[in-house]
Amino acid sequence: MASFKSLCEKYFGSSNFYEILKVDPNTPDKEIEDDKKAEATEKFKVLGKIHSILQDKDRRKQYDDFGEFDENVDSSFNWMEYWRSMFKKIEIKDIQNYEKEYIGSETELRDIKKAYISSKGNMNKILEMVPFTNCEDESRITGIIQKMVDDGEVERYNAFFNENKQKKARRHKKWEKEKKEAEQIDIRDLEKDIEKNMKQRADQFGKLMAGIEEKYSKKRKSITDSAAKKKKRS
């Protein structure tokens, strides 16, 4: 699984955030937020429309035949449909497959290391922060961190290697309760909840993009009208 840093280097040729956004390191936070957010939104819209055109047989033919695409003629672009085409329906087996790829991967090792350091060796927080882990993984996680300590990668925290027995017992008791509750969950109901959540996000995304598109369309129209009036007066 590619790391965030490698993805930055792959798509932008750099892992330096300032170079990627083409901003000075001394630029105030507010300016970066306003200017680059608007630019990123516009770029996303452009890439989204290009992607949708080349995926559609008729619209792609129009582009191939004329070497351009007239957006004023095209009224069929739908952000909601584009969102749904980008993100397929998630099923339980997808999550299970991802879990298999994640456990034992370099990504998991980095997450365990990060959780161990940030929590100062608090096993409760480590299990909360690292995906797909529970009390059954404690021995495996302890072995991984012990190796990191031996290799000098991380500091040895006594709170981790000499954990209070009562604290550990409470964690295991809570986990056993949650495990029994999870066993009673109907997988089909869970899949429906996931699908419902994705639909809600798609609806929110569609409304957001429609609002942004309307906002910028009005802004462009206002600029065009002002330029036309100015030209007429001159």
Side-chain angles (χ1 to χ4, degrees):
M1 187 179 297
S3 66
F4 178 63
K5 180 180 179 181
S6 64
L7 289 175
C8 287
E9 293 173 342
K10 176 180 179 181
Y11 294 115
F12 300 100
S14 173
S15 60
N16 185 303
F17 294 171
Y18 295 105
E19 289 181 4
I20 292 173
L21 290 183
K22 294 181 175 60
V23 297
D24 189 284
N26 297 317
T27 302
D29 298 348
K30 183 64 177 175
E31 290 185 21
I32 292 179
E33 181 181 347
D34 292 343
D35 295 344
K36 294 305 174 180
K37 187 175 182 180
E39 182 181 338
T41 300
E42 285 294 289
K43 285 182 178 180
F44 181 84
K45 288 170 60 180
V46 170
L47 291 174
K49 182 158 285 191
I50 291 174
H51 188 267
S52 70
I53 290 170
L54 296 183
Q55 272 194 325
D56 185 276
K57 181 180 179 181
D58 295 331
R59 299 164 87 201
R60 182 174 182 175
K61 186 176 187 305
Q62 179 183 338
Y63 176 76
D64 290 342
D65 290 344
F66 299 100
E68 60 182 4
F69 194 86
D70 190 346
E71 64 177 343
N72 294 321
V73 176
D74 177 48
S75 61
S76 59
F77 187 78
N78 186 304
W79 281 108
M80 190 74 72
E81 291 180 1
Y82 175 68
W83 171 273
R84 287 171 179 163
S85 70
M86 289 284 287
F87 301 96
K88 71 169 188 174
K89 176 182 175 182
I90 296 179
E91 299 178 350
I92 296 300
K93 65 179 181 180
D94 296 317
I95 299 175
Q96 293 171 337
N97 289 336
Y98 177 75
E99 180 180 1
K100 291 178 182 178
E101 293 178 4
Y102 176 80
I103 294 177
S105 67
E106 288 297 321
T107 302
E108 187 198 34
L109 293 179
R110 286 196 299 271
D111 289 344
I112 290 174
K113 180 179 179 179
K114 182 179 179 180
Y116 173 76
I117 295 173
S118 64
S119 70
K120 301 293 184 181
N122 187 318
M123 181 62 88
N124 287 346
K125 292 183 179 180
I126 292 173
L127 295 179
E128 290 176 1
M129 296 172 68
V130 180
F132 305 113
T133 57
N134 55 55
C135 291
E136 292 182 339
D137 296 292
E138 289 180 16
S139 296
R140 183 173 68 88
I141 292 174
T142 300
I144 291 172
I145 293 177
Q146 180 63 67
K147 185 176 185 306
M148 291 180 179
V149 171
D150 295 340
D151 293 343
E153 289 186 48
V154 297
E155 180 182 345
R156 179 185 177 87
Y157 295 122
N158 289 328
F160 178 82
F161 291 99
N162 298 292
E163 186 180 24
N164 181 284
K165 292 182 178 180
Q166 292 182 336
K167 180 180 178 181
K168 183 174 182 178
R170 287 195 298 270
R171 179 173 65 249
H172 280 251
K173 184 177 180 180
K174 180 182 177 182
W175 175 69
E176 287 291 345
K177 180 182 177 182
E178 293 175 348
K179 181 181 178 182
K180 290 179 181 179
E181 292 174 350
E183 289 173 349
Q184 297 176 11
I185 296 176
D186 191 319
I187 295 298
R188 289 170 296 182
D189 290 337
L190 182 58
E191 288 181 332
K192 289 179 181 178
D193 288 341
I194 293 174
E195 185 176 0
K196 181 180 178 181
N197 186 47
M198 288 190 67
K199 185 179 183 302
Q200 289 176 341
R201 290 189 178 185
D203 291 340
Q204 293 171 355
F205 176 79
K207 291 177 182 177
L208 172 66
M209 297 309 297
I212 291 174
E213 196 163 29
E214 182 181 5
K215 174 184 174 182
Y216 280 94
S217 294
K218 288 181 179 179
K219 187 175 181 180
R220 284 195 295 268
K221 185 177 184 302
S222 177
I223 293 173
T224 302
D225 291 344
S226 298
K229 289 179 182 178
K230 185 177 181 181
K231 183 177 181 180
K232 187 176 181 180
R233 286 197 298 269
S234 61

